[in-house]
Amino acid sequence: RAAEWQLDQPAWSGRLRITAKGKVAFIKLEDKTSGELFAQAPVEQFPGIAVESVTDSSRYFVLRIEDGNGRRAFIGVGFVDRGDAFDFNVALQDHFKWVKQQSELAKEAQNPEQGPKLDLGFKEGQTIKLNIANMKKKEGAMGTTRPRPTGLGGLSLLPPPPGAKPAGVCPPGERPAPLPAPTQLPGTPITDSLLSWPQPTPAPAAADVWGDFAKASG
């Protein structure tokens, strides 16, 4: 009980800091001017025996301090401001919450198959609805075959016979035929930047294009 302490005449006053090294938190009591360490309490578990709150106040605690040589002592500490006592509690809770999360992650890394499995199966009576927009089935669109290309008069186009030479390709040992020399227009010299081109021939009449097909009865 904090009421049994001599609160008006504390044996020591200074500042309190909480540090952490690995999983252990250290409550350090330091001189508020020089920063010299007065005492420290290692905390391996919270709540635990290393830090205990009193029964009659939320601003006072009992710390188990250690000197590093095996000697321990219990002392009472208190905060003037209630908000500082609240921050003291929250800092310890956050540290050991982080320790617990790290321990769980380490266990999952060692045994990944023991983690919770995601159940993607359908339950009994469960249904699913798919809404696919702009998908309309046309009549006769399914099951139709693509017609083969045909030539004039309804005749099928046949592939070239074996051994035929593709256009523009010369067999080994043969040279391509030389291109005809350009025709020079009267009074116009042929230079590298100006070449004369043959005039296009007029298109034949419609009757000449169709020829005998225009006279066929069918």
Side-chain angles (χ1 to χ4, degrees):
R1 292 178 56 86
E4 300 174 358
W5 302 347
Q6 297 178 0
L7 302 179
D8 54 343
Q9 298 178 356
W12 179 89
S13 62
R15 69 182 183 187
L16 183 146
R17 290 195 309 129
I18 299 178
T19 62
K21 184 177 181 180
K23 298 181 179 181
V24 182
F26 294 89
I27 302 175
K28 296 184 177 183
L29 304 177
E30 301 173 344
D31 186 270
K32 58 184 176 181
T33 304
S34 63
E36 182 181 359
L37 181 64
F38 172 75
Q40 72 174 0
V43 184
E44 299 180 356
Q45 183 181 359
F46 183 79
I49 194 174
V51 182
E52 293 182 282
S53 59
V54 298
T55 59
D56 58 343
S57 176
S58 62
R59 296 186 292 116
Y60 294 89
F61 304 87
V62 177
L63 303 183
R64 186 183 65 181
I65 59 175
E66 299 181 7
D67 62 354
N69 296 323
R71 294 185 300 177
R72 300 175 177 176
F74 290 90
I75 62 173
V77 297
F79 295 92
V80 178
D81 190 357
R82 194 177 302 275
D84 294 337
F86 177 80
D87 294 340
F88 173 76
N89 260 318
V90 171
L92 290 174
Q93 291 175 1
D94 289 345
H95 170 73
F96 287 98
K97 185 183 299 183
W98 173 83
V99 171
K100 183 179 179 181
Q101 292 176 351
Q102 295 299 316
S103 178
E104 293 176 353
L105 291 176
K107 291 180 180 179
E108 292 179 1
Q110 294 178 357
N111 301 317
E113 297 181 356
Q114 295 183 1
K117 297 182 179 180
L118 185 61
D119 185 12
L120 299 178
F122 284 96
K123 304 299 186 294
E124 184 178 359
Q126 186 178 2
T127 59
I128 185 172
K129 182 180 180 181
L130 299 177
N131 184 13
I132 304 178
N134 300 327
M135 292 291 291
K136 297 182 180 180
K137 182 178 179 182
K138 297 181 180 180
E139 296 182 0
M142 301 299 293
T144 58
T145 58
R146 188 173 183 179
R148 297 178 60 184
T150 58
L152 295 177
L155 298 179
S156 300
L157 299 179
L158 300 178
K165 300 179 181 179
V169 179
C170 294
E174 296 185 9
R175 295 183 179 179
L179 297 176
T183 304
Q184 181 178 0
L185 297 178
T188 304
I190 297 179
T191 61
D192 294 339
S193 61
L194 179 62
L195 294 178
S196 61
W197 298 92
Q199 297 295 327
T201 57
D208 296 337
V209 174
W210 291 103
D212 295 338
F213 288 100
K215 302 175 182 180
S217 59

